[in-house]
Amino acid sequence: MIVEFDSVVKRYGKTMALDNASLEVPQGAVMGLIGPNGAGKTTSMLIITALLSRDGGRVRIGGIDPQRDPLAVRRHVGYMPDFFGVYEGLRSSEYLDFFAATQRIRPVARPAVVADLLALVDLEDKSDSDVNTLSRGMKQRLSLARALIHDPELLILDEPASGLDPRARVHLRELISELNRMGRTIVISSHILSELEGLCTHLAVVDHGAVKAVGEIDDVRSQIFGRQRVSLRVAGSGVVEAEQILRGRAPVDDLEVFGDSMQFSLNGGDNESADLIAQLVSEGIQLAEWRLDGAGLEELFLELTHDGDRTAVDESVAEPSGSDAGEGSSK
Ligand code: ATP
């Protein structure tokens, strides 16, 4: 495990930003941290990058406690914050050269490092452009290049797609996938689930400082699906037989019958659902309707994150929060 969080606690005054949060990120994974505003995503990321201390629990990054040896952790970790701060009048190449210098890359090696990174993030032709004239998507890619300067094995990306148009999002997504294929482990936060689907191998649902579900995408899916209700309707007069078949079966809970229809909680995912349908059909039950309520990850996410805060999925009303580490914000 490259990231280990065990019952981590972080308080800001009376605010419990992390409340016994536990999660693990395996080497080579793309782990999505999903949660509504204020869930604790940025706080987790700042602790991983050794920019913030914890108040309790155990943290290991590549086996190292960031509180004991922050410099060693930072050598392994590249961090892209959720804001882009820059001095006036700096060109893209100068911006990267400056951060290469802070990483103690020798002056003679720096031009090649900068050129390679600009090529990687597809900004070669913007090398001489003033950073402030770049589009939002270009700034995000430059910020990603900055996070890569010391060739870290773990990349922490805080809301990298926020404020990007669909085309820029696709571009960034491809870049992140490519970095993962090149062997880097990536932790990426978002409050928009669709941004993470198809990109992440693992997911952690964070809310009010707690990790509500974590694991491989499919596991999280079944944890979520484990809470969904099935509504079914039987054609003809088979409802009593259908009830007898379903009652007492492991994935079926809280079964209620209403006329020719019934509802129950399904403990499982698509496989369990398909098995039950097959069983009913093989016993001659004519199913007129079979509906999974809350079947989407989005609904699951809303259910898991406190009282279904819609800001969690509606970016038009969600404001990214600032951070107290690193440069000044210029969002
Ligand atoms: P967002 O999606 O809005 O960026 P987040 O999931 O990254 O949210 P955090 O920024 O980690 O959430 O914040 C977790 C909680 O800690 C929130 O209640 C936030 O208001 C609080 N918090 C964060 N930073 C500070 C700070 N420097 N001082 C006081 N409270 C803070």
Side-chain angles (χ1 to χ4, degrees), residues 257-311:
V257 179
F258 317 90
D260 62 352
S261 301
M262 62 182 88
Q263 275 192 1
F264 61 87
S265 297
L266 178 70
N267 298 314
D270 286 350
N271 289 342
E272 287 73 15
S273 178
D275 282 350
L276 291 175
I277 293 170
Q279 179 80 31
L280 289 168
V281 171
S282 74
E283 305 240 2
I285 305 295
Q286 289 182 287
L287 283 178
E289 195 180 332
W290 181 274
R291 200 177 71 237
L292 299 170
D293 292 319
L297 271 180
E298 210 73 80
E299 282 82 356
L300 166 60
F301 168 58
L302 287 172
E303 195 184 314
L304 283 177
T305 55
H306 208 67
D307 56 49
D309 178 1
R310 294 264 15 146
T311 60

Side-chain angles (χ1 to χ4, degrees), residues 3-63:
V3 175
E4 297 167 78
F5 261 46
D6 188 5
S7 306
V8 178
V9 173
K10 176 68 194 177
R11 291 182 209 94
Y12 296 105
K14 286 186 182 157
T15 304
M16 241 351 206
L18 290 181
D19 187 2
N20 284 299
S22 298
L23 61 86
E24 292 185 332
V25 183
Q27 197 105 31
V30 181
M31 162 72 84
L33 281 188
I34 178 96
N37 291 130
K41 304 180 297 292
T42 299
T43 301
S44 305
M45 292 184 149
L46 292 174
I47 290 175
I48 295 173
T49 48
L51 291 168
L52 190 69
S53 60
R54 62 186 183 271
D55 296 315
R58 179 179 177 276
V59 175
R60 293 290 181 275
I61 309 300

Side-chain angles (χ1 to χ4, degrees), residues 116-132:
D116 285 351
L117 285 171
L118 286 172
L120 182 71
V121 300
D122 208 9
L123 286 176
E124 288 153 299
D125 56 341
K126 297 289 174 187
S127 167
D128 292 330
S129 301
D130 183 326
V131 169
N132 285 308

